[in-house]
């Protein structure tokens, strides 16, 4: 990826609300290149396969199934396509599902235009974008996992737990800090913050621990 | 004890009646209040009560107590005035009611009417004067009393006559109190009347039949007793005469009584409807109307309009279908996440800012955590009002040992060392609220860098933490 790509990423918007799609398109304006729109799972997979955008803005909820179906189907063929989940919904299990399906970040639909452009750029550059809400969801998901012990041995302890630093970073993001502010608060560089967040994202996507699935299932019940 | 305690409302009443403290019966005769020793009979002894009967003294004109009250707060008010223990005054009042065959109760009700409540200057009587329908009811009760007095005098049952007068006077007085008192006082009266209501309330035909049969049996028994004691055909004739007079009065006044009673029922229904409408109006005003006003002002920002509409819809649904009153933070079964959500909705609806709320973990809210939520709400409202920021971040984390809440904005911020007075006060109120419950609050801010309020409350004596 060249710098020019990162500065003006090519974007596909997947959302079942036409009004919202056009709203986002006009908000993103000239900062990104919106090359297509889709309103459901199948058309989205086809469209993305054809034009291979840098970033897909993916609604968590779609009529033909969750946004995770799109992410999973596309990434099986084209792992280089990056997804940024976008949602108005508060359901953590859906958000975590999209992240586990491969999205590199999650922002809420109330995000300001500037922040959205920034988030798209960062995802295009390969960074992880954690909104305060996603940070909260992740803290919640990992906090409700019981620490591995002799009764429940963990196959990969490193993947199933957050480090203290990662927890600190997530907490500050949940409090509304930007990466830069988090770095200043913890006396680390913004780049290191980015590393921590990416590591959290990796754990979230790769942890095979069935508790994470069970956590999602339990959340769905309540 | 009897000597010090009956300095109840009748004391004040006799001064208040303006007849020079002279009782309405011949001097030296044992009246219904016992032996009357002239004005000051009780007043001279009022401070000689034993130590255990004393209470804190309250200066100023006599007022009915608003907090420590059983019925009208007269006893507590008097106790405060005289430096006695309210319970002692109440006991004394009970004894006085027994010994005066109920007239002390009349005095109590009159005092209820005449003495204003703490913090107010107008007595209920002032309002009652203008209450024509209430006075009509009282007059109707009076005519009923006359009727009964005629009946009992004719039948030579003086005992009933002496009880009927205070009873009717009390009821007439209470009717006036009920109709003219504030809503809070009316609630107290309603609580007091509850057992009575369940006795007379509609409970199906069986209850009515039981009551009718009992009445017939009692009446028949009474007539039999009269006939058997007097064994005179004369009495029957007298009875017939009384019955005729009663029938005449009933025919004369009956329609009036019925009309008064019916008016009362319609009026009561109308008042209930009016109260419901007022309640509805205030709820709608606090929620829907506020939101509509905000939407009009933000018509050019569709995103915010949608958000306002969504928040309002959520709240309205919660109210209509789950019975959750809008704006109640201290409801039962409140959890931290629920409380945070409520703060979010409230502040978004009233101040038109976005509150990004994130909660990790959850637990039920006790008094301490209620204070934490209240402080968080204050901090959030502060940020919405003062910071100028569009987005406020609200983050709550429930851990086994403590609950932390962070309110952060990216607004104009301020220098904590040189805060303007009003803001300092708010910060103090947040700090003070937390400190009183054993929690802590820190405010971090710098001009141009926004503000963050961090609140932490330990979870002392908490049950198993419930995560997720």
């Amino acid at each position: 990826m060249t710098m020019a790509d990162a500065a003006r990423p090519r974007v596909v918007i997947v959302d079942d609300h036409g009004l919202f799609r056009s709203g986002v398109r006009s908000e993103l304006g000239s900062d990104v290149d919106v090359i297509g729109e889709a309103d459901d799972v199948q058309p989205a997979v086809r469209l993305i396969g054809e034009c291979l955008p840098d970033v897909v803005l993916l609604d968590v909820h779609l009529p033909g199934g969750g946004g995770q179906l799109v992410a999973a189907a596309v990434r099986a063929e084209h792992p280089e396509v990056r997804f940024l989940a976008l949602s108005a919904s508060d359901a953590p299990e859906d958000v975590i599902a999209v992240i586990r399906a491969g999205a590199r970040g999650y922002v809420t639909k109330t995000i300001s235009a500037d922040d959205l452009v920034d988030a798209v750029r960062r995802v295009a550059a390969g960074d992880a974008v954690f909104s305060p809400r996603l940070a909260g969801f992740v803290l919640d998901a990992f906090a409700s996992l019981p620490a591995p012990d002799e009764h429940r041995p963990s196959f990969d302890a490193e993947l199933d737990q957050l480090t203290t630093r990662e927890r600190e970073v997530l907490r500050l993001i949940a409090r509304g800090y930007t990466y830069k502010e988090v770095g200043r608060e913890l006396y680390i560089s913004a780049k290191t913050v980015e590393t921590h967040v990416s590591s959290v994202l990796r754990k979230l996507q790769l942890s095979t621990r069935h508790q994470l699935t069970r956590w999602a299932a339990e959340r769905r019940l309540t | 004890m009897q000597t010090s305690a009956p300095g109840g409302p009748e004391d004040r009443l006799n001064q208040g009646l303006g007849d020079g403290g002279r009782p309405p019966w011949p001097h030296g005769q044992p009246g219904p209040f016992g032996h009357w020793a002239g004005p000051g009979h009780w007043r001279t002894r009022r401070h000689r009560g034993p130590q255990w009967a004393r209470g804190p003294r309250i200066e100023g004109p006599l007022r009915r107590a608003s907090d420590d009250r059983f019925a009208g707060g007269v006893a507590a008010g008097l106790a405060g005035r005289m430096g006695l223990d309210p319970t002692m005054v109440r006991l004394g009042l009970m004894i006085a009611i027994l010994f005066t065959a109920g007239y002390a109760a009349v005095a109590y009700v009159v005092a209820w009417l005449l003495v204003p409540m703490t913090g107010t200057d107008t007595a209920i009587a002032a309002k009652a004067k203008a209450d024509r329908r209430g006075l009509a009811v009282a007059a109707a009760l009076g005519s009923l009393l006359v009727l009964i007095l005629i009946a009992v005098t004719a039948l030579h049952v003086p005992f009933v006559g002496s009880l009927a007068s205070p009873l009717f006077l009390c009821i007439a007085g209470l009717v006036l109190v009920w109709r003219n008192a504030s809503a809070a006082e009316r609630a107290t009266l309603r609580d007091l009347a509850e057992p009575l209501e369940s006795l007379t309330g509609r409970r199906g035909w069986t209850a009515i039949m039981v009551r009718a049969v009992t009445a017939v049996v009692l009446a028949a028994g009474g007539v039999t007793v009269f006939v058997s004691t007097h064994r005179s055909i004369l009495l029957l004739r007298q009875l017939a005469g009384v019955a005729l007079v009663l029938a005449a009065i009933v025919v004369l006044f009956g329609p009036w009584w019925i009309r008064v009673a019916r008016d009362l029922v319609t009026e009561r229904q109308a008042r209930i409807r009016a109260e419901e409408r007022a309640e509805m109006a205030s709820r709608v005003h606090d929620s829907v109307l506020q939101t509509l006003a905000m939407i009009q002002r933000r018509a050019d920002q569709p995103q915010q309009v949608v958000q306002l509409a969504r928040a309002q819809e959520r709240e309205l649904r919660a109210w209509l279908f789950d019975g959750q009153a809008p704006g109640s933070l201290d409801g039962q079964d409140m959890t931290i996440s629920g409380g945070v959500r409520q703060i979010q909705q409230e502040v978004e609806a009233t101040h038109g800012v976005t509150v990004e709320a994130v909660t990790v973990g959850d637990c039920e809210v006790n008094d301490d955590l209620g204070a934490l939520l209240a402080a968080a709400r204050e901090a959030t409202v502060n940020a919405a009002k003062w910071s100028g920021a569009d987005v406020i971040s609200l983050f709550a984390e429930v851990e086994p040992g403590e609950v932390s809440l962070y309110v952060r904005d990216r607004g104009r911020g301020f220098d904590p060392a040189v805060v303007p007075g009003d803001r300092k006060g708010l910060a103090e109120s947040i700090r003070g609220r937390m400190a009183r419950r054993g929690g802590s609050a820190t405010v971090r801010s710098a001009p141009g860098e926004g503000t963050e309020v961090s609140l932490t409350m330990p979870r002392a004596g908490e049950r198993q933490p419930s995560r997720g």
Side-chain angles (χ1 to χ4, degrees):
Chain A
M1 182 168 301
T2 65
M3 281 309 286
D5 284 332
R8 200 160 180 279
R10 293 154 63 243
V11 171
V12 164
I13 304 172
V14 181
D15 195 299
D16 53 323
H17 294 287
L19 204 65
F20 181 76
R21 286 200 305 272
S22 54
V24 170
R25 190 193 268 267
S26 71
E27 266 189 4
L28 292 173
S30 55
D31 292 326
V32 304
D33 185 10
V34 179
I35 55 172
E37 291 178 18
D39 63 353
D40 206 348
V41 177
Q42 291 315 321
V45 174
R46 211 175 310 124
L47 175 71
I48 297 165
E50 281 165 13
C51 62
L52 294 176
D54 297 321
V55 176
V56 177
L57 276 178
L58 183 60
D59 188 8
V60 173
H61 292 278
L62 287 173
Q68 74 257 36
L69 297 182
V70 180
V74 171
R75 285 180 63 80
E77 300 274 316
H78 311 283
E80 74 280 8
V81 177
R82 284 161 180 153
F83 289 85
L84 174 60
L86 192 64
S87 155
S89 115
D90 293 345
E93 64 275 2
D94 297 338
V95 175
I96 298 286
V98 175
I99 298 288
R100 278 173 70 81
R104 291 206 59 81
Y106 165 72
V107 292
T108 45
K109 282 183 177 175
T110 52
I111 191 172
S112 74
D114 291 346
D115 288 350
L116 183 58
V117 170
D118 184 49
V120 169
R121 282 209 184 112
R122 275 157 58 201
V123 168
D127 288 348
V129 171
F130 270 44
S131 62
R133 190 162 295 171
L134 178 58
F137 289 162
V138 173
L139 275 174
D140 211 15
F142 278 95
S144 48
L145 297 180
D149 53 31
E150 63 270 25
H151 301 295
R152 271 175 298 209
S154 176
F155 297 107
D156 192 343
E158 198 253 328
L159 274 183
D160 292 339
Q161 272 179 311
L162 300 178
T163 64
T164 314
R165 234 320 118 88
E166 285 163 357
R167 238 173 248 284
E168 281 172 348
V169 168
L170 285 182
R171 234 175 237 141
L172 287 170
I173 292 174
R175 278 159 70 174
Y177 284 57
T178 62
Y179 287 8
K180 215 161 96 190
E181 288 166 334
V182 171
R184 202 166 47 187
E185 183 74 18
L186 298 177
Y187 304 106
I188 52 179
S189 72
K191 200 67 218 159
T192 315
V193 174
E194 170 59 41
T195 313
H196 284 304
V197 172
S198 293
S199 151
V200 170
L201 193 77
R202 195 175 59 91
K203 288 181 181 180
L204 201 62
Q205 290 171 343
L206 295 186
S207 173
T208 48
R209 194 105 173 246
H210 69 281
Q211 274 93 340
L212 202 59
T213 330
R214 205 174 60 194
W215 168 84
E218 277 167 8
R219 289 299 294 238
R220 205 184 294 273
L221 289 179
T222 51
Chain B
M1 127 99 242
Q2 222 199 90
T3 49
S4 68
E10 65 273 23
D11 189 8
R12 133 115 204 164
L13 180 66
N14 277 301
Q15 296 162 33
L17 286 180
D19 57 359
R22 189 163 279 279
W25 53 87
H27 196 72
Q29 294 273 318
F33 295 2
H35 274 282
W36 180 259
H41 171 85
W42 290 305
R43 264 180 297 154
T44 48
R45 296 169 181 221
R46 67 162 64 127
H47 298 305
R48 287 194 211 145
Q51 187 62 45
W52 48 265
R54 296 211 186 120
R57 227 187 125 102
I58 297 155
E59 296 300 327
L62 179 61
R63 289 284 183 269
R64 291 184 292 112
S66 55
D67 42 353
D68 175 22
R69 57 189 305 172
F70 182 71
V74 174
L78 264 175
R81 191 72 210 297
M82 301 189 306
L84 290 172
D85 182 62
T87 317
M88 288 301 125
V89 177
R90 278 189 200 120
L91 271 175
L93 183 66
M94 290 298 161
I95 291 165
I97 290 175
L98 277 181
F99 274 79
T100 59
Y103 278 96
V106 178
Y108 185 92
V109 173
V110 172
W112 194 340
L113 273 169
L114 289 179
V115 180
M117 207 194 306
T118 318
T120 61
D121 273 329
T122 45
I124 298 174
K127 263 177 84 186
K129 265 195 293 190
D131 176 22
R132 291 176 63 185
R133 193 162 284 162
L135 289 175
V137 176
L141 282 168
S143 67
L144 248 179
L145 173 64
V146 170
L147 183 65
I148 284 174
L149 284 181
I150 292 175
V152 294
T153 319
L155 293 173
H156 306 289
V157 264
F159 177 66
V160 175
S162 64
L163 272 186
S165 310
L167 184 64
F168 272 90
L169 288 172
C170 276
I171 292 174
L174 285 177
V175 165
L176 287 177
V177 169
W178 167 261
R179 294 179 50 86
N180 298 291
S182 64
E185 286 211 70
R186 218 178 285 160
T188 319
L189 255 179
R190 201 178 294 137
D191 286 347
L192 281 177
E194 207 153 7
L196 214 72
E197 217 170 299
S198 64
L199 208 70
T200 57
R202 270 186 290 151
R203 273 195 287 167
W205 282 104
T206 359
I208 294 175
M209 286 307 290
V210 166
R211 229 180 289 143
V213 168
T214 319
V216 168
V217 168
L218 282 177
V223 170
T224 322
V225 168
F226 285 134
V227 175
S228 62
T229 37
H230 287 267
R231 289 174 198 285
S232 154
I233 202 78
L234 250 170
L235 180 86
L236 271 182
R237 230 177 251 167
Q238 218 173 359
L239 263 178
V242 169
L244 274 176
V245 172
L246 289 186
I249 295 177
V250 167
V251 167
L252 202 63
F253 287 116
W256 180 42
W257 292 339
I258 289 171
R259 204 175 56 231
V260 166
R262 205 173 39 210
D263 281 2
L264 275 182
V265 170
T266 21
E267 207 198 44
R268 184 162 165 266
Q269 285 168 343
R271 193 170 53 230
I272 289 171
R273 272 200 299 272
E275 273 169 11
E276 274 171 0
R277 204 164 35 229
E279 163 107 2
M280 189 94 172
S282 77
R283 287 276 158 77
V284 169
H285 175 266
D286 285 352
S287 50
V288 180
L289 290 184
Q290 290 262 24
T291 306
L292 287 178
M294 305 287 292
I295 284 177
Q296 283 171 39
R297 265 199 284 158
R298 280 162 224 277
D300 53 331
Q301 294 149 292
Q303 205 135 325
Q304 286 203 14
V305 168
V306 168
Q307 195 179 340
L308 281 169
R310 189 172 295 141
Q312 187 52 64
E313 184 195 329
R314 255 194 313 233
E315 190 178 296
L316 211 54
R317 273 181 195 287
W319 180 32
L320 293 178
F321 304 119
D322 308 334
Q324 239 176 57
S328 63
L329 237 188
D330 39 7
Q332 311 92 325
D333 305 329
M334 171 69 84
T335 58
I336 288 289
S337 65
V340 166
R341 214 161 30 236
Q342 224 170 77
I343 294 172
Q344 176 194 19
Q345 286 170 19
E346 250 181 56
V347 176
E348 280 186 349
T350 37
H351 299 280
V353 294
T354 302
V355 177
E356 183 84 52
V358 175
T359 313
V360 171
D362 208 354
C363 69
E364 274 176 24
V365 172
N366 57 18
D367 287 353
D368 291 350
L369 298 180
L372 175 74
L373 281 175
R377 167 154 72 172
E378 188 138 352
T380 313
V381 169
N382 262 1
K385 271 192 194 160
W386 298 93
S387 71
D390 301 329
V391 182
I392 297 162
S393 302
L394 185 59
F395 173 56
E397 186 174 24
V398 179
E399 288 169 291
E402 63 181 27
V403 180
S404 317
L405 249 157
Y406 302 88
V407 181
R408 169 156 167 89
D409 68 69
R410 261 164 224 296
R412 56 179 71 100
F414 61 97
D415 184 352
V418 282
V419 257
D422 46 350
R423 285 214 59 166
K424 189 173 182 179
L426 290 166
E428 283 307 312
S429 96
I430 291 172
R431 280 204 193 98
R433 192 176 252 146
M434 295 297 291
R436 275 195 292 281
R437 298 276 182 175
S440 64
T442 47
V443 179
R444 264 173 59 176
S445 188
E449 295 201 4
T451 307
E452 185 175 51
V453 179
S454 318
L455 308 165
T456 308
M457 185 66 78
R459 296 174 69 191
E462 264 297 312
R463 302 158 299 279
Q464 268 308 89
S466 68
R467 280 271 187 185

